[in-house]
Amino acid sequence: MRSHEHLQGTGARWRTTAAAAAAVLTFTGAVGCGAADGGGHVRAARGQQGPVREPTASEEALLDRAEKVLIKTCMAKAGFRFWVAGVPDPEEREGQGYVIDDVAWARKHGLGGQFERDAAKARRGGPNATYVRTLSVKRRTDYNTALAGSPERGTLSVRLPGGGTVGTPRHSCRTAAEDELYGDFPKWFRVSTISANLTPLYVPDLLADRRFVKAVRAWSACMRGRGLRYADPAGVRRELPALTAGLSDARAHAVEVPLAVAEATCARASSLADTARGLEREYRARRTARYDADVTACRRMQLAALARARQITGATA
């Protein structure tokens, strides 16, 4: 789960896979245990006891916050300070897909660049990053070990659906927090990792589908009609850093908004977003059925954790 606030040492999961360097497209912008049906709607995964819905963006944010609260408690016991900060809000999560198709969201958030700029500022000057810089070299090492763990104390690993493995230290404040929140960290690590790494199984076929190719071409033609020459939505994002380099946040946002509004308008006019979502459902069902039990277990663990998350955070809804 993504966070604005840089957590020193939390990058302790490692990946060994031939496909690790390849870019994987996410068409729905979903995080967590599986693909949402676009626009914030949830799609059910079928288990033996019936369909299991995916948590909403607001529920994902609640789970993120609860995990950080638990990390804070654990770090205090280890003798360190930790701030609960930078939990992505639901609106940010809704803009993380392949193409923006919500014109109102685009007018408000542009291409989401402000979220990324805020994340960069947090990595440099957020309370956790600032605190870590005040520690001695030894204390900083101890901080990272407490937060993210060390392979010397044992590890867990999961075989990825697309090949290769992901591993993580077994003991840390992060793993302790996830264990308390989800009830079984080894199982949670396995099912959430598998669920989050299914796209390599179906994205290549989706990209080659003539219906997707046709929709991308229609989107690109629509953008050309607005004076914008982009072959696909990824091209907008590749060019954005050059377009906003050296600009203030306000001016960068002003550059983003018309691009994002055009992208969203053309996504609707060309049916690119609907086509991508429909094809993702089709190919995901066809290529990933053998992992349905893992996705279902992951979602059930998230939904079961919501009551604990509300209690941990004091949330009333």
Side-chain angles (χ1 to χ4, degrees):
M1 298 176 182
R2 204 171 66 171
S3 169
H4 279 176
E5 179 61 42
H6 179 51
L7 308 185
Q8 296 286 339
T10 53
R13 298 189 184 193
W14 60 89
R15 174 178 295 201
T16 305
T17 171
V24 177
L25 298 178
T26 300
F27 292 91
T28 59
V31 293
C33 294
D37 190 12
H41 302 111
V42 296
R43 183 160 57 82
R46 185 162 297 278
Q48 292 181 344
Q49 300 174 2
V52 181
R53 72 174 181 86
E54 183 179 8
T56 65
S58 294
E59 289 170 337
E60 287 271 9
L62 173 64
L63 292 170
D64 275 1
R65 180 169 294 280
E67 182 177 329
K68 287 190 174 182
V69 170
L70 292 171
I71 290 174
K72 177 180 179 179
T73 300
C74 177
M75 291 296 285
K77 291 178 180 177
F80 296 102
R81 301 187 69 186
F82 183 86
W83 283 261
V84 178
V87 177
D89 64 31
E91 283 201 48
E92 175 180 355
R93 295 168 189 272
E94 291 171 7
Q96 294 174 2
Y98 170 69
V99 62
I100 297 169
D101 68 338
D102 185 330
V103 176
W105 191 97
R107 287 198 179 102
K108 182 176 181 180
H109 298 293
L111 293 165
Q114 189 59 53
F115 295 130
E116 298 301 327
R117 289 187 287 274
D118 288 345
K121 290 176 183 176
R123 286 192 293 271
R124 295 190 302 266
N128 287 313
T130 300
Y131 172 68
V132 169
R133 285 197 293 271
T134 70
L135 300 177
S136 67
V137 173
K138 182 182 185 307
R139 287 281 287 168
R140 188 177 303 178
T141 298
D142 292 342
Y143 175 98
N144 288 336
T145 299
L147 180 61
S150 170
E152 286 73 24
R153 297 183 60 198
T155 63
L156 294 173
S157 63
V158 176
R159 183 77 177 173
L160 295 176
T165 60
V166 168
T168 189
R170 177 64 183 87
H171 301 286
S172 68
C173 281
R174 180 182 59 78
T175 59
E178 293 184 4
D179 190 67
E180 183 171 347
L181 183 59
Y182 296 106
D184 183 341
F185 175 71
K187 180 179 179 181
W188 168 249
F189 176 63
R190 178 176 59 80
V191 299
S192 63
T193 300
I194 289 172
S195 298
N197 286 278
L198 293 174
T199 49
L201 301 182
Y202 63 84
V203 165
D205 289 336
L206 189 159
L207 294 176
D209 190 290
R210 59 179 178 78
R211 293 167 290 179
F212 180 75
V213 173
K214 180 180 178 181
V216 171
R217 288 174 178 168
W219 177 88
S220 182
C222 176
M223 293 289 279
R224 284 198 303 276
R226 291 171 168 265
L228 300 168
R229 302 188 67 84
Y230 295 102
D232 54 36
V236 182
R237 282 135 188 83
R238 283 193 297 268
E239 189 179 47
L240 187 61
L243 294 176
T244 58
L247 299 182
S248 67
D249 286 356
R251 291 182 64 190
H253 184 70
V255 169
E256 284 185 42
V257 168
L259 285 174
V261 170
E263 174 179 315
T265 301
C266 288
R268 289 188 173 277
S270 65
S271 298
L272 175 57
D274 289 340
T275 298
R277 284 192 287 263
L279 289 173
E280 182 172 34
R281 287 192 295 270
E282 177 183 328
Y283 281 107
R284 186 181 176 97
R286 189 185 306 175
R287 300 285 188 252
T288 69
R290 64 187 180 276
Y291 297 104
D292 281 353
D294 295 299
V295 174
T296 298
C298 184
R299 291 184 183 178
R300 282 191 174 134
M301 292 182 82
Q302 283 186 305
L303 295 175
L306 289 173
R308 289 189 289 273
R310 293 186 184 98
Q311 183 177 20
I312 290 163
T313 62
T316 57

